[in-house]
Amino acid sequence: MWVMKKTNMSDGQAKYGTNFKTYDYFVTKHAVAAQDSRGDQVHFSDAFATGHAALVLEFEVSLLAIDASIGALPYWETNTGSVFTDAYFGSVHGTGAQNTVV
């Protein structure tokens, strides 16, 4: 992922192929979809799951262009419990002291 952040698009595609995208490309793509003039296109609708799945797939393909040995993006196994713990993302909104996110 650091390569995606530190390499510009043209140099990255020259070295890793057309599947390479910069980290900032993904940040911008997500922001544009969320700030669309028609309203948020990727969060507050049925498009949440498919929109994010498509973005993550494109991100994974870009990472694989850089280093195919990773095989795939790691993912959270939902059967193992919540990610909203101190070890990962903190508490769910409103569960910390004075309804704050830890």
Side-chain angles (χ1 to χ4, degrees), residues 1-26 62 65-66:
M1 203 162 69
W2 195 246
V3 171
M4 292 169 69
K5 183 65 179 162
K6 292 291 197 176
T7 308
N8 68 47
M9 187 77 84
S10 59
D11 290 347
Q13 289 188 343
K15 184 171 184 175
Y16 302 110
T18 57
N19 286 333
F20 176 87
K21 303 288 189 291
T22 67
Y23 182 84
D24 291 341
Y25 165 88
F26 292 102
S62 184
I66 297 165

Side-chain angles (χ1 to χ4, degrees), residues 26-95:
F26 292 102
V27 170
T28 301
K29 187 171 187 171
H30 185 264
V32 166
Q35 300 298 320
D36 189 283
S37 63
R38 298 165 293 175
D40 189 326
Q41 300 295 303
V42 293
H43 292 112
F44 305 113
S45 72
D46 295 338
F48 181 86
T50 54
H52 284 86
L55 188 71
V56 170
L57 177 60
E58 189 177 15
F59 189 87
E60 178 180 54
V61 168
S62 184
L63 281 175
L64 290 171
I66 297 165
D67 183 1
S69 72
I70 66 168
L73 271 178
Y75 67 97
W76 181 259
E77 175 54 62
T78 58
N79 295 329
T80 61
S82 176
V83 296
F84 296 105
T85 65
D86 289 340
Y88 296 103
F89 294 112
S91 66
V92 177
H93 178 68
T95 63

